Amino acid sequence: MSDLLHLDLLNEGRVLLAFSGGVDSTALFHLLCEHKIAFDIAHVNYHMRENSDAEEASAIALAQKHSMQCHLHSCRLGGANFESRARDERYRFFNYLMSKHGYTYLLTAHQLNDRLEWLMMQMCRGSGLPEMLGIRSHDKRDGIEILRPLLEWDRESIEAYLHRHSIPHHIDESNADERYTRNFFRHRFSAPMMREYRDAIRRSFRYLEEDNDALIETMDFTTIDQLSYAHNPSSLRSLLYGIDTFFKTNGYLLSQHDKEALKGGGEHIIGRRFVVSIDTNYTFIAPYEHSVVMDKGFREECRELKISSKLRGYLYGAPRAYDVMRRLKGALTPLRFD
């Protein structure tokens, strides 16, 4: 059985655990205590199940028992796409807590089965290696640094740990519902594979993550007002992954049509909300402002600097961002990939 990942980081920062009270987060809670890691917990009550209030009460009691803070958030999310909206809601809550209380890392209790299920679902969507490895042990989302210390533990080992130490926990009955895509993959494929090939699967993910890190260059976006820019990596695959990751971390999912269009470089309107301009050295992303009346001098300067026509509406009303653009841009021409 593997130990917790990133123990060195856990010992040097302030830690917040996303805690549901289920199998995985309960095991991670007690393993952190065993390693004498100081942490607080954050619990979200969606009021969707009969046990929701009992789970909240258990989280409060457990935090009090271990002399830590339990941050609570209560919400009711009606309508379709509950899983997606619930994820957005809890990360808004986590982001608020991280900023207000100065936590260094957010911990989530994703484990090896989760990682395999995600990879399978991404394969069935026609994704590449970086997307298949979407659940990583050290990651970022909306500016939050996320650690997943349980990512080399499989579900069977986690349940055995809880049983061995007689640790009470809650069971989410929705996990048995195969109408949810993840549950379908879990029951039909990942659970049987994990029982037979656990150690090999764990090794494979280590190799895949190393390969991905070697193949994909990161794009570090800087944001001034609402203009974001990053130096372009050397490969098209890294560029597309970097842009896609930028949008995901800011709560927007690119369509397959958007991704195909971006392969050509140049300028693009995304969802009628954003402009993406890919030049020789930099990629620029900004809000799309299409009905702004600009003076002649501004238009002429943008033309001379070869600033994307679709960026100009936003830049006209954002002098700080425009000043950054002028310093970076020079006479760069749009980048086109053949």
Side-chain angles (χ1 to χ4, degrees):
M1 183 186 299
S2 297
D3 204 345
L4 295 180
L5 299 174
H6 303 302
L7 279 173
D8 54 336
L9 298 178
L10 294 175
N11 277 299
E12 69 184 30
R14 293 200 68 206
V15 176
L16 178 67
L17 169 63
F19 183 78
S20 69
V23 172
D24 301 330
S25 64
T26 299
L28 181 52
F29 182 105
H30 288 277
L31 285 164
L32 291 169
C33 291
E34 282 185 19
H35 285 84
K36 296 181 171 52
I37 304 296
F39 66 100
D40 295 321
I41 64 175
H43 179 83
V44 180
N45 186 346
Y46 301 104
H47 302 280
M48 288 291 291
R49 297 178 288 107
E50 289 184 9
N51 292 334
S52 293
D53 290 340
E55 291 166 359
E56 178 181 310
S58 296
I60 295 170
L62 192 61
Q64 290 175 342
K65 178 181 178 181
H66 291 268
S67 302
M68 64 181 63
Q69 190 165 357
C70 177
H71 303 284
L72 299 172
H73 179 55
S74 178
C75 61
R76 298 179 187 273
L77 305 174
N81 299 319
F82 170 77
E83 286 184 305
S84 175
R85 288 182 298 109
R87 182 170 55 251
D88 291 342
E89 181 75 15
R90 64 177 172 267
Y91 273 94
R92 277 194 293 271
F93 176 51
F94 298 153
N95 207 327
Y96 164 77
L97 293 176
M98 299 287 286
S99 175
K100 180 178 180 181
H101 299 283
Y103 292 110
T104 313
Y105 301 111
L106 173 70
L107 307 190
T108 69
H110 291 94
Q111 32 83 355
L112 192 59
N113 292 62
D114 295 323
R115 201 173 202 188
L116 179 59
E117 290 151 18
W118 175 266
L119 181 144
M120 289 177 171
M121 290 190 292
Q122 293 303 311
M123 287 183 67
C124 293
R125 293 168 181 163
S127 300
L129 177 59
E131 291 80 16
M132 291 180 190
L133 294 176
I135 300 178
R136 299 172 66 88
S137 64
H138 188 180
D139 208 351
K140 283 188 177 181
R141 177 188 171 120
D142 298 336
I144 299 174
E145 282 208 65
I146 302 172
L147 299 179
R148 299 183 173 101
L150 277 184
L151 207 52
E152 291 202 341
W153 287 58
D154 66 287
R155 172 57 66 89
E156 187 173 292
S157 298
I158 292 169
E159 291 177 340
Y161 168 80
L162 293 175
H163 178 74
R164 186 165 61 253
H165 295 279
S166 300
I167 298 172
H169 56 278
H170 292 272
I171 301 295
D172 183 351
E173 60 272 15
S174 68
N175 286 335
D177 189 346
E178 291 193 5
R179 289 176 298 177
Y180 294 105
T181 304
R182 183 180 291 278
N183 291 345
F184 175 82
F185 277 90
R186 175 177 301 156
H187 299 144
R188 302 291 181 90
F189 304 110
S190 73
M193 287 179 64
M194 195 64 69
R195 283 192 291 269
E196 291 290 330
Y197 306 109
R198 177 183 61 193
D199 292 339
I201 290 169
R202 184 184 292 120
R203 285 196 305 274
S204 290
F205 274 114
R206 291 173 186 166
Y207 296 146
L208 287 171
E209 192 157 336
E210 290 173 2
D211 291 344
N212 181 75
D213 290 342
L215 291 168
I216 300 297
E217 302 169 58
T218 59
M219 289 184 73
D220 296 319
F221 279 89
T222 299
T223 300
I224 303 295
D225 293 335
Q226 296 182 74
L227 173 69
S228 299
Y229 62 92
H231 200 279
N232 291 333
S234 60
S235 72
L236 174 60
R237 186 69 183 92
S238 296
L239 176 73
L240 296 177
Y241 180 69
I243 295 172
D244 185 43
T245 300
F246 171 86
F247 277 103
K248 282 180 180 175
T249 57
N250 285 278
Y252 187 88
L253 296 180
L254 295 175
S255 68
Q256 194 59 41
H257 174 77
D258 293 330
K259 295 176 184 179
E260 289 297 320
L262 289 169
K263 290 180 179 179
E267 58 179 3
H268 303 273
I269 304 301
I270 305 295
R272 300 183 181 180
R273 295 172 53 192
F274 308 100
V275 180
V276 176
S277 177
I278 305 169
D279 287 331
T280 306
N281 290 339
Y282 290 94
T283 291
F284 301 96
I285 302 175
Y288 178 42
E289 302 286 352
H290 58 88
S291 57
V292 177
V293 178
M294 294 169 278
D295 64 55
K296 183 177 179 180
F298 179 82
R299 293 199 307 272
E300 180 61 22
E301 187 172 47
C302 286
R303 187 189 66 76
E304 291 176 358
L305 290 172
K306 296 182 173 60
I307 293 174
S308 161
S309 61
K310 294 179 172 60
L311 279 173
R312 297 173 192 176
Y314 164 72
L315 293 172
Y316 188 67
R320 281 207 318 152
Y322 182 53
D323 185 55
V324 169
M325 174 70 78
R326 286 192 299 175
R327 291 202 304 270
L328 292 173
K329 186 75 169 163
L332 301 180
T333 54
L335 177 63
R336 298 286 176 182
F337 292 100
D338 296 323

